[in-house]
Amino acid sequence: MTFSTVIKILGSNPYVAPPTEVLHVIFQQAKKKTSPISVKGKLNGAPFQKSLVRYQGEWRLYINGQMAKNSKLPFKGSVVNVVGQKVVIELLFDQNPPMYEIVPALKAELDKNEQAKKAFEHLPRGRKKEICRYLGSLKSKDAVDRNVTRVIHHLLGEKTDALYALMHRKKEDALRG
């Protein structure tokens, strides 16, 4: 299913909103109408794998920097530069979405700290996936260890020296469980 649209922005996150007829086909293929739904496709001819999510009542396909670069959009160091660009999207339900395993360093730390483990288990599935995806993408052991420490500190409700999507939760939410 192919459609043309203009990239919009919500906060600092560029996205496209697929048309209703495209969504209906994806819902049928996915056999669900709840967020997230794994999709794959092409942005201006460049392939991608993402999740289609419903946020504030609208289904959205967020456009990240790698997608912008691959599709030759005017990225210029920030994805906000792609807002207002007309794009062609090919979108299909992805029956085989990528799986992100918990990295051994995080598993070991969670096994040592019951409170952090409980907080991690109570995170929404999407947050756990994003943490595992991010940690799994790091190249050096030092970077993995440094970021695992940040995640553990946050799960325990402590301040960290970096900001992540995970960090937007309140301390009480991190410790609830």
Side-chain angles (χ1 to χ4, degrees):
M1 296 166 293
T2 303
F3 61 96
S4 294
T5 191
V6 173
I7 298 176
K8 301 175 188 176
I9 193 162
L10 177 68
S12 61
N13 300 305
Y15 73 95
V16 296
T20 303
E21 55 274 6
V22 171
L23 291 172
H24 285 302
V25 172
I26 289 174
F27 296 157
Q28 287 177 330
Q29 292 172 339
K31 296 182 174 84
K32 71 177 198 168
K33 292 182 181 181
T34 56
S35 178
I37 297 176
S38 296
V39 292
K40 61 183 175 180
K42 294 181 181 175
L43 172 62
N44 288 347
F48 66 83
Q49 273 187 305
K50 295 282 288 177
S51 290
L52 189 61
V53 295
R54 185 175 174 107
Y55 183 69
Q56 293 185 345
E58 186 176 12
W59 283 93
R60 303 166 195 269
L61 176 68
Y62 288 98
I63 309 296
N64 63 30
Q66 194 61 55
M67 290 170 69
K69 288 178 192 174
N70 291 349
S71 65
K72 309 288 191 247
L73 288 170
F75 178 67
K76 299 178 188 163
S78 173
V79 288
V80 296
N81 293 321
V82 303
V83 176
Q85 295 289 314
K86 188 167 184 173
V87 293
V88 175
I89 305 274
E90 183 180 322
L91 196 60
L92 304 163
F93 170 64
D94 189 354
Q95 295 180 17
N96 301 305
M99 300 301 286
Y100 300 102
E101 299 294 322
I102 190 166
V103 295
L106 179 59
K107 183 175 180 349
E109 289 300 315
L110 292 174
D111 286 345
K112 287 194 275 184
N113 189 316
E114 191 61 36
Q115 186 180 6
K117 184 175 187 174
K118 192 173 184 181
F120 184 78
E121 289 170 352
H122 284 87
L123 289 175
R125 183 177 51 152
R127 279 216 178 111
K128 287 190 270 191
K129 175 183 154 186
E130 187 59 23
I131 290 168
C132 292
R133 183 203 61 79
Y134 176 72
L135 293 174
S137 73
L138 298 173
K139 304 289 185 228
S140 73
K141 181 184 180 328
D142 287 343
V144 170
D145 292 344
R146 185 172 54 251
N147 284 281
V148 164
T149 299
R150 288 174 176 149
V151 168
I152 295 297
H153 283 291
H154 179 71
L155 290 170
L156 295 173
E158 301 168 1
K159 285 197 173 233
T160 64
D161 61 346
L163 296 174
Y164 298 99
L166 169 68
M167 307 311 174
H168 295 289
R169 296 180 17 211
K170 294 179 183 173
K171 182 177 179 178
E172 307 84 59
D173 293 340
L175 297 176
R176 194 180 317 155

